[in-house]
Amino acid sequence: MNTMETILNRRSVRSYTEEKVCREKVEQLVNAGLHAPTAMNRQTFQITVVEKPELLAKLADAVKAAMNIQNVYNFYGAKTLFLLSDSADKELGQMDCACVAENILLAAYDLELGACWINQFRNTSDDPAVRALLTEAGVPAAHRVWLGIALGNPTEWPEAKERVAKVVYCE
């Protein structure tokens, strides 16, 4: 697929079928993430793929409690969740993980998968209940999960919303 076409048409998907994403596509997304640029090419991030239903449910409940979220919270029912982490004390870890996320999000669209950035981990990685589950999933104790990505087979593709950010040219 054309890169510009992918960039212009990718949308955050928040509704998934019950069908699990095939392992081959998950591996392709992991590979896309591994090829993201990182500060000084250090590549210190980790991609943790969570597909165990019980762990997904417990993690959603723990994040919901830590954030005091009152409505339903379940990563939009995704059957796969990517956790992108790096050392909590690494100054550029959050930005490296954002680059990894962008590669994964664009590749997901290219593979006709729905995906959505999950931001709550940035503020909940140190919550004891969340941390215990992150450790169970394989996230190193010294890592902060900067973000997650919900992934699944979309029930529908959202319509594009108008872009309103400003652009200034200084010539």
Side-chain angles (χ1 to χ4, degrees):
M1 185 175 286
N2 177 294
T3 303
M4 284 303 293
E5 181 181 332
T6 299
I7 291 169
L8 297 176
N9 289 299
R10 187 215 64 81
R11 301 286 173 263
S12 293
V13 173
R14 294 176 175 88
S15 178
Y16 307 101
T17 68
E18 292 295 317
E19 181 184 358
K20 190 175 177 181
V21 177
C22 74
R23 175 61 56 185
E24 180 184 343
K25 288 186 177 183
V26 170
E27 292 298 328
Q28 287 177 304
L29 296 176
V30 167
N31 194 37
L34 292 175
H35 284 83
T38 60
M40 299 176 69
N41 198 28
R42 290 192 178 139
Q43 303 178 45
T44 58
F45 64 88
Q46 177 173 305
I47 301 170
T48 304
V49 182
V50 181
E51 295 180 304
K52 187 175 180 181
E54 306 82 34
L55 185 55
L56 284 168
K58 288 179 185 178
L59 196 52
D61 287 344
V63 170
K64 179 179 177 175
M67 300 274 308
N68 196 26
I69 297 171
Q70 300 302 312
N71 51 346
V72 174
Y73 188 82
N74 64 358
F75 309 123
Y76 306 110
K79 303 297 178 219
T80 302
L81 179 68
F82 285 76
L83 301 172
L84 307 182
S85 66
D86 207 331
S87 297
D89 62 352
K90 186 172 175 252
E91 183 180 351
L92 301 174
Q94 183 175 9
M95 288 172 263
D96 287 352
C97 286
C99 290
V100 172
E102 183 69 1
N103 275 18
I104 291 170
L105 292 168
L106 292 172
Y109 177 79
D110 194 45
L111 294 172
E112 299 179 347
L113 294 170
C116 186
W117 181 299
I118 304 292
N119 199 45
Q120 287 77 17
F121 290 103
R122 181 175 56 90
N123 296 320
T124 61
S125 283
D126 293 331
D127 177 86
V130 174
R131 181 70 250 174
L133 294 166
L134 294 175
T135 299
E136 182 180 333
V139 176
H143 275 211
R144 171 176 300 282
V145 174
W146 291 109
L147 63 112
I149 298 174
L151 179 73
N153 296 291
T155 58
E156 63 183 344
W157 288 102
E159 292 293 320
K161 294 183 180 175
E162 179 183 357
R163 300 298 171 189
V164 296
K166 292 183 179 183
V167 176
V168 176
Y169 295 95
C170 182
E171 297 180 40

